[in-house]
Amino acid sequence: MTRRRTPRTSVIRLTTGNAARTLNHPFARREPVLALDFGATSVLVTTSGPVTVKDLEFAHQLAREAQRFARSLERSFYGLPDGRGVAA
């Protein structure tokens, strides 16, 4: 992660669980929407207009960090640094 240039003014914590899910909504004639659902709360990620290079860069960064998050969860779940073992 890179260092933030501006300080955070607020943090919203959304935890995973039975109701948590992600959905991609591709549309033929407009920009796609990524929905992060946490039960009664949803976060929608989309562009502010036609897709730009910055939008693509953000999408790739989001995918990279989501993959890293998944690997960290796997290591925690299996209890070993290499991700192999039994559930902790």
Side-chain angles (χ1 to χ4, degrees):
M1 261 188 183
T2 60
R3 184 176 296 270
R4 293 180 58 85
R5 293 182 185 171
T6 56
R8 287 188 174 102
T9 57
S10 63
V11 174
I12 299 170
R13 180 179 179 181
L14 301 168
T15 58
T16 61
N18 292 339
R21 64 187 184 143
T22 60
L23 297 164
N24 178 49
H25 300 284
F27 297 101
R29 295 196 170 110
R30 57 172 271 200
E31 293 75 23
V33 175
L34 175 65
L36 309 174
D37 289 329
F38 300 90
T41 303
S42 291
V43 176
L44 303 179
V45 181
T46 190
T47 65
S48 60
V51 177
T52 66
V53 170
K54 291 289 186 187
D55 296 325
L56 291 173
E57 289 172 354
F58 175 79
H60 287 288
Q61 179 186 14
L62 179 63
R64 265 193 320 274
E65 294 305 318
Q67 183 62 42
R68 289 177 181 164
F69 179 68
R71 274 187 255 146
S72 294
L73 289 177
E74 288 170 348
R75 282 192 297 273
S76 295
F77 181 76
Y78 292 111
L80 296 173
D82 65 0
R84 295 185 183 149
V86 295

